Amino acid sequence: MNLVVFGPPGAGKGTQARMLAEARGLVQLSTGDMLRAAVAAETEIGKQVKEAMETGQLVSDDIVIGLISDRVDEPDCANGFILDGFPRTVAQAEALDALLKGKDKALDAVIEIKVDDELLVGRITGRFTCAKCGEGYHEIFRRPEQDGVCDKCGSTEFTRREDDSEETVRSRLKVYHSQTVPLIDYYSGTSRMRTVDGSQDIADVRRQIEEALNGL
Ligand code: AMP
């Protein structure tokens, strides 16, 4: 099964994609994670995208399409993958359809996680991640069971994303509305699109996604 999960920053795409990937034996492909790794490793691509990422703008379509095209060819994607944060423009969605067709693959479902803007700023500015295993937490909504210790791997090191400051979040939301919202029209014309209410808690959104997938 090959899926797209999209929604505004802070909607819970990464959290849901991660849980869904584990439950269904799929690979989570996050262009944001790939780009952050490229920036950290100071690769050529990393140098090209650093500024756009820091200011909450999108990086060029060509770069992300290239990353995804190479990645879905790897053997671990044969069972299926979840695209998290890609596509983010109609041009990327068109390129994705074309590249999957060329590889004899297709998208089985597109899940939109819908959340109003007012909720998102608070959600994003409170989030942090285990530096070792990548498990996501939130100061209010999802604290580790034991303060300062990752529930999943026991690490005591946590990180915050540089682009999670309030100012950058507001830019990212503007970019989402102008460049990514048109995807709703693009995919609404197909039978693959499902919308879930992302303002609910993590378990409830998870349940809505399972229901949506089972009903396809
Ligand atoms: P994310 O982790 O998905 O919130 O992505 C973090 C940042 O990476 C975004 O604000 C963009 O600068 C960049 N990025 C991630 N995915 C894409 C994409 N599909 N198209 C363009 N830029 C992207």
Side-chain angles (χ1 to χ4, degrees):
M1 176 175 249
N2 301 323
L3 308 175
V4 164
V5 177
F6 85 95
K13 298 184 291 291
T15 304
Q16 294 296 334
R18 200 177 163 93
M19 291 192 295
L20 203 53
E22 260 179 36
R24 296 198 171 222
L26 306 172
V27 178
Q28 176 189 6
L29 303 181
S30 155
T31 41
D33 285 349
M34 291 177 198
L35 293 167
R36 276 185 288 280
V39 171
E42 298 182 353
T43 64
E44 251 337 287
I45 287 184
K47 288 178 197 156
Q48 287 173 43
V49 302
K50 191 168 190 281
E51 197 187 329
M53 291 185 74
E54 280 173 358
T55 53
Q57 302 303 306
L58 295 186
V59 314
S60 84
D61 287 339
D62 290 348
I63 289 181
V64 283
I65 291 163
L67 286 175
I68 289 295
S69 178
D70 291 345
R71 186 63 184 86
V72 297
D73 286 335
E74 289 180 28
D76 62 342
C77 288
N79 268 344
F81 49 81
I82 304 175
L83 294 169
D84 156 14
F86 178 92
R88 244 170 162 109
T89 63
V90 170
Q92 290 177 21
E94 288 168 350
L96 175 64
D97 280 343
L99 82 84
L100 291 180
K101 202 167 175 197
K103 297 176 195 291
D104 252 345
K105 296 178 191 279
L107 279 184
D108 300 290
V110 177
I111 305 284
E112 179 205 6
I113 306 183
K114 198 173 162 68
V115 185
D116 288 341
D117 283 8
E118 304 85 80
L119 270 182
L120 294 167
V121 177
R123 274 196 184 183
I124 296 182
T125 50
R127 68 187 183 179
F128 59 98
T129 306
C130 171
K132 194 167 168 209
C133 74
E135 188 69 3
Y137 295 96
H138 192 281
E139 285 163 6
I140 297 165
F141 308 117
R142 186 162 186 263
R143 300 187 64 86
E145 276 170 29
Q146 188 186 337
D147 259 354
V149 182
C150 175
D151 296 347
K152 208 156 184 196
C153 75
S155 167
T156 52
E157 303 274 321
F158 295 89
T159 58
R160 283 178 190 261
R161 281 174 48 171
E162 278 185 27
D163 60 350
D164 276 353
S165 68
E166 182 163 346
E167 191 193 347
T168 312
V169 169
R170 295 204 185 274
S171 307
R172 287 160 63 200
L173 281 171
K174 270 194 201 141
V175 167
Y176 178 76
H177 286 289
S178 63
Q179 306 205 46
T180 307
V181 163
L183 286 183
I184 298 173
D185 269 351
Y186 181 84
Y187 286 122
S188 292
T190 72
S191 55
R192 301 167 291 185
M193 164 103 172
R194 295 289 182 276
T195 299
V196 299
D197 174 5
S199 67
Q200 304 302 312
D201 67 26
I202 293 173
D204 189 71
V205 179
R206 170 93 186 87
R207 189 184 47 69
Q208 291 180 60
I209 293 176
E210 278 302 332
E211 274 173 21
L213 294 179
N214 293 337
L216 277 169

